[in-house]
Amino acid sequence: MKVEIIIDRKHQVSQSIMDALYQALLTRLEEHYPDVQVRVAAGSAMAMNVTRASREEKEEVEALVQSVWEDADSWMPEEESAA
């Protein structure tokens, strides 16, 4: 399974935040899908793609990604969360 998160460049998200998001997603997703590949990158629009997964797996991954995003206080770098 491959999970790709694209963050719109217009939001000016720092590389340290993207790296921290990548690590948080990888940690959480590997608990359920040991062979998962995760990519977090800047792009021209916000997007999430889940490939090589069943419909049920995609729904589970979307819920896990949402959970990680909503729990940003646990993974966002300290200097970034204070800003």
Side-chain angles (χ1 to χ4, degrees), residues 6-13 18 39 41-46:
I6 305 299
I7 300 175
D8 192 338
R9 285 186 192 95
K10 293 178 204 170
H11 293 290
Q12 299 179 348
V13 174
M18 289 197 294
R39 178 174 180 249
S44 60
M46 297 292 279

Side-chain angles (χ1 to χ4, degrees), residues 10-61:
K10 293 178 204 170
H11 293 290
Q12 299 179 348
V13 174
S14 71
Q15 187 61 47
S16 64
I17 290 177
M18 289 197 294
D19 292 343
L21 176 59
Y22 165 81
Q23 195 59 52
L25 288 170
L26 187 63
T27 300
R28 181 77 62 91
L29 292 170
E30 279 185 333
E31 292 173 7
H32 303 276
Y33 308 101
D35 295 330
V36 70
Q37 296 176 351
V38 177
R39 178 174 180 249
V40 176
S44 60
M46 297 292 279
M48 181 176 85
N49 300 308
V50 181
T51 55
R52 299 188 306 236
S54 69
R55 175 186 281 195
E56 293 81 19
E57 289 173 329
K58 286 181 183 182
E59 290 173 1
E60 291 172 11
V61 166

Side-chain angles (χ1 to χ4, degrees), residues 65-83:
V65 169
Q66 183 71 28
S67 171
V68 168
W69 185 254
E70 290 174 354
D71 192 29
D73 290 341
S74 72
W75 55 263
M76 190 174 291
E78 193 66 36
E79 67 277 0
E80 300 292 342
S81 60

